[in-house]
Amino acid sequence: MVAAWRAMPDEREAQGGLRKYDEVSPITASREEIEQAVQDADLPALLAALAMITADETLIADDLRPPTPPMGASIKGQGGMSDEAQAKARSLAVRAIVAYRDRGSPSPEVPDAAWLNRIMRFMTKDAGDDYLPLLSSELGLPRDMGAPDWRKEDLAPGRDFSVAVIGAGLSGVAAAHRLSQSGVSFTVFERSEDVGGVWWANRYPGCRLDTPNFAYSLSFAQRQDWPQQFSRQSEIQSYIAEVTRLAHLRPHIRFGVEVTGLTWDEAAAVWRLSIREADGSRSERRFNAVISAVGQLSQPSIPEIEGLDGFKGRWFHSAQWPADIDVKGKRVAVIGAGASAYQIVPSIVDEVDALRVFQRNPPWMLPTPTYHDDIKPGMAWLLRHIPYYGRWFRFWQFWIAAEGRLPSVQVEKDWKHPVSVGRANERLRQECMAHLEAQLTDRPDLLEKLTPNYPPGAKRMLRDNGVWTAALKRPHAQLITEPLARIEGDAIVTADGERHEVDVIVFATGFLASDYLHPMKVIGREGRDLHEWWAGDCRAYLGVVIPGFPNLFMSCGPNTGVVVNGSAIFSAECAVKYATSAIGEMLAKGYSAIDCRMEPFEAFNRRVDAENLTKSWGVATVSSWYRNAAGRASQTWPFSLLEYWRVTQSADMGDFVLTKAG
C-alpha cells in the first residue's frame, strides 16, 4: 500500500490510525484498463485529484471548469460539463494516470495552500476568499483543519478538568476525537451496546442513507471505499466503529450506561451526572463540562391510538425493529409515509401476505435513479488507486450541496399559488410532479393520493428510484389515507368505519425531534429545570449553549438542521468546534464556568425565527418534525452553511458571563 498522507512535523496534527483512509494501492493496470475505469469517473473530482498530485495546470483549464448549474429536483451529471469537455477531461485524466503509473505511483506530498486554493477555485467557479477557509476545512488538507490548535498541557497543565460526552453516534465520536486531540480528560456515555447512535438503533429492513455517503462522513476520517453512494445502515455503523478503533477512542466509552440527569453544582462549578448502569444500579459522576451528543432522532414517537394495548398481534416502532420478527406471510400495517416507511415498504412487500400503508401526508420525492446502486467498478478502482480522489469527491459533493436547494425553498411575497411559495419552489414542484406522474400513468387513483398539497421542502424530501410507487402498485398492497380511529383486536379501524385486519403494526412515525435532551432531567443555575423553562419550545444560542446552564454544550441542537443544503455531520462538527474552542478559553484564562448571556441568545433566536419564515418549512402548515408543537421551526438552520461555519469557529467570551476558578 502507498500511504498518501505526508507526515507532518507537528505531532499534534497527526491523525494516527485515521491515515488509513488516505491509503491507496500502486497502479499496475494497462492503459486500456485505465481508460475503462475513467469512463466511470466523477470527472470534476478526478481532475482536481490529478492536478494536486501532478501540478499539471492543463487538468484545471478554464474550458474544463464544471459550470455546476443550480440544483433542481436532480443534480446535473459531471457538474453540467459539456460532452466535448468530458471527452477532453477523460483524455487528459488517462494521460496523467498513465504517467503517474510509469513513475511508480509515488506517494505525493500535499502541495502548498496557493495551489490547493487554485484547484478549489476551479471546482467552485471561483469561490470567494470568504469561502476558502471553509472549503479547506472540508477538504482536510494540508492538515486536519478542524483540530484544536491548543493542548491542555500547554494551557493549564496542573488543572483537573474533565468532560462528559453523552452519546456515541457520529457527533459523539467527533467530540471525543477533538477532546482526545486537545489532551482533555473525557468519558463518553452510551446507553447502547456499541457506537453508532441512530445507525446502531435503526435496523429495520431497507435502512440506509438519503444523503450522499461521501459527504455524510467525518472531515477527519474520509473513507474512500464506500460500496454505494447511499450506504446501508450496517456500512455506516461499521464505519463509526472503525473510526473509534482507529482513533483509539473505544477505551474512553462506557457502553450500556445511560445518563438520566444533569445537575449543576454552583459551589463546585461542576455538573453532577446521574448514571444508570447496565445492571440497573445507579451512581453519580462529576465533570467540569458536558457535551450532549444525543441527537434529535433518538426518542421514538408513537401516536396514542385507542385500543393499541389490546392489539392481538405484534406492534413496534421502526427504530425498535425486533431481531426475532418474521413478516413473511403476515398481514402487515405500516403507519406513516415518511423516510423510514419509504425504505421499509419496498423491502418487505415481496415477503408479506398483505401490506397496508397508512398515510397522513405524502412525501415529495427527488429523482435519484442510482439510489440503491453500487459504486461503478471504474469509479471504485480510481478511489482505490488515485491519491486523495476520495477527499476531492467528498469535497465536490459538499460544494454542490453547499447552497443546494436553499434557493428553491425561498418564499416570494408576490408569488400567489395554492401550493408553492415562490418561482423556484414552483419549478422544483413541477419537476417532482413530472417524475411522479411518469410512474403512475396507469394508476390515477394512486397519483391523487401521492400528490403532496404542501410546498417542496416543508418536510423531508426523499430519494426516489421508483421502488416506492412500484411497491404500492402491488395487488396485495393498499395505500390508505383515511385517518386512524382505533384498534379493535386484530384490526385497525379507520375513520370511515372500515376494518383492516393485520398481524403486525409497524409505527414509522418518526421521533420526538423537538424534545431536545429528553428524557434527561437537566437542572441548571438556581434550580432551573431546562425542560420546564423551554416549555416545549427548545432554543439555544447557535444551537449549542443555553443561558443558566453553564459549561453545557449541545451538538445537533435547536435550529442547526441543514435540511436542503448539507448533512447533519457538518453542523455536528461545527458545534463540536465551538465547544472545544470554549473549553480551550476556559483553560487558558482560568474560568470555572462560562454561562451564555441572555442578550446574544435572544438576538440569535429572533434572527433565526425571522429567516425561517422566509422558507417553505417556516410558512407551511403541514405537520413536520421540522416544527415543534407551537408551530415554530425549531429544527432548521435557514442560512448558508458558510454562515453556520463562520459563527461556530471560535467561542466569543463576550457572549458569556464568566466565573474565575478558585
Side-chain angles (χ1 to χ4, degrees), residues 491-570:
I492 297 174
V493 181
T494 46
D496 59 0
E498 186 172 352
R499 289 173 51 86
H500 305 272
E501 295 182 352
V502 294
D503 305 305
V504 177
I505 300 175
V506 180
F507 285 98
T509 45
F511 300 85
L512 300 172
S514 296
D515 294 342
Y516 291 91
L517 302 183
H518 181 82
M520 290 186 292
K521 189 175 184 64
V522 183
I523 306 297
R525 278 184 160 160
E526 299 178 354
R528 176 184 290 176
D529 184 305
L530 177 59
H531 293 294
E532 289 182 3
W533 185 67
W534 270 339
D537 189 11
C538 304
R539 297 174 182 267
Y541 176 54
L542 306 180
V544 183
V545 291
I546 312 155
F549 298 85
N551 304 4
L552 173 62
F553 307 93
M554 299 173 66
S555 174
C556 298
N559 289 115
T560 63
V562 284
V563 294
V564 294
N565 61 326
S567 78
I569 305 306
F570 172 80

Side-chain angles (χ1 to χ4, degrees), residues 128-192:
D129 291 341
D130 57 339
Y131 248 113
L132 288 177
L134 165 58
L135 297 177
S136 297
S137 180
E138 287 300 311
L139 181 61
L141 296 175
R143 63 184 187 280
D144 175 12
M145 312 291 272
D149 59 359
W150 55 271
R151 295 275 296 179
K152 179 186 177 296
E153 63 191 36
D154 298 324
L155 301 183
R159 182 176 174 184
D160 289 332
F161 194 96
S162 61
V163 180
V165 178
I166 306 175
L170 274 163
S171 57
V173 168
H177 181 58
R178 296 310 189 196
L179 290 168
S180 176
Q181 289 179 311
S182 69
V184 171
S185 174
F186 68 95
T187 301
V188 182
F189 297 96
E190 172 53 56
R191 66 183 180 181
S192 299

Side-chain angles (χ1 to χ4, degrees), residues 393-405:
F393 186 47
R394 180 186 184 277
F395 174 92
W396 176 236
Q397 289 193 335
F398 172 83
W399 172 251
I400 59 179
E403 294 301 330
R405 295 184 180 87

